[in-house]
Amino acid sequence: MAAAIDVKGWCPGVLRPMQSGDGLIARVRPWGGAIGLADAKALADAAERFGNGHIDLTRRANLQIRGLTEPSLNGLQDVVATLGLVDQDARAEAVRNIMVAPLAGIDPGEARDVRPLARAIEKGLAADTVLHDLPSKFGFLVDGGGSVSIAGERADIALKTVGQAVALGLDTPSGTMWIGLASPDAAVKVALAAARAFLGVRCDRRRLRDLDEQDLVRLRAALAPMLDVIEGDVTIASNRPLGVLSFGTNRFAAGVAAAFGRLEAHQLWNFATMAEEAGAADIRLSPWRSLYVEARDITSARLLVESARGIGLIVEDTDPVLRIDACPGAPACRSSSVDTRRDALRLAALPFKGNLHVSGCAKGCARSAPANLVLVGEQGRYKVICNGTTRDAPERTIVAEDAGALFDV
């Protein structure tokens, strides 16, 4: 398979990787937000063989394989193609950005199993070449309304089941605006129509939230005939439980996370083996850089959680590391002059309230939402921002060793 090398890009893919400080990065987008256990092992082996063994869990619920070289890229591409995880071309791959509730089809609290809706959107994106012009960060969200919901996450176009209907949400500067209801059979058609309508009004806007009020009104007017009226806001806060999950109906699952989303190849391989022993069929990815699997019973779920702890995964949602977002930083990223994850781990040991974003540069790849404290690397130092994002004006600049003084210790 021919390699297409881009030095920079918004989101890397398998067919269009991105250059970073530790080599090329290829993003693998699992279909429907899930990856089979055998496929997970094959990707772990490929990450070790063709890359540097580092695998990142992304905020888009994807896997990124790092440390590839131009000669080794073809080998990875062949593996991913054999697994059926690659698209027909790089443009189709770039727009297949769909987050799915990680316990879809498992959580009995769902109003509907939304996996068929997600697969239909994937097929629609692949078939409609007009939609291949969507910006590479443009994304969709599909949520079934269960107890582990992603409806509070940001996506340009969101679908969430509400009773027997499906609500359509559009991203705005202030968050998701739920604009109407459609039948389950019509929901995918409406979501794809919303994406086409965005292309018709976007001008130079990269995301739906970048539209001005007039363009947003035009977009809503184009969709109104396809929707029924919705009352109120259907968004609920995202719930990110880890450990043993019991649903009270003899169904069980387990959730684990990786510090800052970094998995080593051996961890993914071992976790897939443990999941198989627990009775799981696949691994579900989430936008919180955590993984979920179904277990056959409570004993299997508990054993899986303890085994995951033993290979260095996070199994408690109170772990302070989970309150910190940190990009790979130096030397893995050429845009960074600071070792973000080293500093983040040191800060995780300190008592602090709220959340923290440690970013290697002003791009803020690890987190787009505001954080209580933001540290932005620049020339080996950190700019300090309180209650904002990497794009806000800093209050001061400090050296990494002084970051601990920002907390009451």
Side-chain angles (χ1 to χ4, degrees):
M1 186 179 295
I5 308 297
D6 276 5
V7 174
K8 292 183 179 180
W10 288 109
C11 290
V14 172
L15 299 177
R16 184 180 294 164
M18 183 174 69
Q19 185 69 53
S20 190
D22 59 349
L24 295 170
I25 302 172
R27 177 175 294 191
V28 179
R29 295 167 166 85
W31 299 98
I35 185 167
L37 302 181
D39 291 352
K41 290 183 180 182
L43 285 178
D45 287 337
E48 194 77 62
R49 180 180 178 188
F50 302 113
N52 58 15
H54 298 328
I55 302 171
D56 290 333
L57 304 177
T58 78
R59 290 188 299 146
R60 296 294 188 91
N62 299 144
L63 297 169
Q64 285 188 168
I65 296 176
R66 305 187 67 96
L68 299 161
T69 64
E70 292 191 36
S72 72
L73 177 61
N74 284 330
L76 175 74
Q77 290 175 329
D78 289 343
V79 170
V80 177
T82 299
L83 298 177
L85 293 173
V86 71
D87 295 79
Q88 59 190 3
D89 56 48
R91 294 183 72 228
E93 176 185 50
V95 299
R96 186 164 60 85
N97 299 312
I98 304 172
M99 296 187 295
V100 185
L103 293 181
I106 298 174
D107 186 349
E110 288 182 306
R112 173 179 300 274
D113 181 353
V114 294
R115 289 177 296 173
L117 294 180
R119 292 306 301 265
I121 292 175
E122 290 172 336
K123 291 178 181 178
L125 288 170
D128 190 343
T129 55
V130 171
L131 295 177
H132 296 180
D133 289 331
L134 288 169
S136 63
K137 280 189 175 289
F138 194 96
F140 296 79
L141 176 155
V142 186
D143 187 83
S147 59
V148 182
S149 172
I150 62 171
E153 301 301 313
R154 297 194 75 162
D156 292 274
I157 297 173
L159 294 179
K160 181 190 175 186
T161 54
V162 179
Q164 298 302 308
V166 179
L168 177 76
L170 304 178
D171 196 19
T172 72
S174 57
T176 303
M177 175 190 295
W178 300 95
I179 65 170
L181 297 172
S183 70
D185 291 339
V188 172
K189 179 181 178 181
V190 177
L192 296 176
R196 285 190 290 271
F198 167 77
L199 289 174
V201 302
R202 75 179 180 114
C203 299
D204 293 327
R205 274 73 170 194
R206 295 179 300 170
R207 301 293 298 277
L208 205 150
R209 71 185 116 179
D210 298 327
L211 295 180
D212 59 31
E213 185 174 351
Q214 183 179 0
D215 284 339
L216 185 59
V217 168
R218 288 172 56 198
L219 193 151
R220 291 188 64 182
L223 299 174
M226 307 173 68
L227 296 168
D228 294 326
V229 175
I230 186 172
E231 296 183 2
D233 188 347
V234 303
T235 301
I236 60 174
S238 293
N239 183 24
R240 312 179 182 188
L242 295 180
V244 176
L245 310 180
S246 175
F247 301 108
T249 56
N250 234 15
R251 300 197 75 169
F252 304 92
V256 303
F260 315 123
R262 170 58 56 81
L263 277 174
E264 301 304 328
H266 68 88
Q267 288 178 309
L268 178 59
W269 200 97
N270 287 333
F271 182 71
T273 300
M274 297 167 186
E276 185 176 17
E277 293 170 351
D282 54 24
I283 295 173
R284 310 295 184 83
L285 286 83
S286 82
W288 316 308
R289 301 186 176 96
S290 53
L291 305 173
Y292 293 86
V293 299
E294 187 173 16
R296 71 170 63 88
D297 52 41
I298 187 67
T299 301
S300 299
R302 288 171 177 165
L303 180 60
L304 174 58
V305 167
E306 289 310 308
S307 297
R309 189 199 306 272
I311 62 171
L313 298 179
I314 298 171
V315 300
E316 296 171 343
D317 48 25
T318 56
D319 193 305
V321 170
L322 298 178
R323 295 160 63 186
I324 305 177
D325 292 292
C327 64
C333 179
R334 298 192 300 182
S335 298
S336 178
S337 60
V338 290
D339 190 338
T340 53
R341 289 181 174 171
R342 177 203 64 191
D343 296 333
L345 281 174
R346 185 165 53 84
L347 293 173
L350 301 176
F352 69 97
K353 297 179 180 179
N355 44 50
L356 170 63
H357 180 188
V358 185
S359 182
C361 70
K363 289 187 295 184
C365 297
R367 182 186 177 98
S368 56
N372 299 117
L373 180 64
V374 183
L375 302 179
V376 183
E378 184 179 71
Q379 298 181 353
R381 297 161 64 88
Y382 282 108
K383 295 186 293 184
V384 180
I385 299 166
C386 293
N387 299 314
T389 72
T390 58
R391 298 174 294 278
D392 292 322
E395 297 181 0
R396 53 180 157 150
T397 300
I398 61 172
V399 296
E401 290 71 21
D402 290 342
L406 297 170
F407 308 117
D408 294 325
V409 296

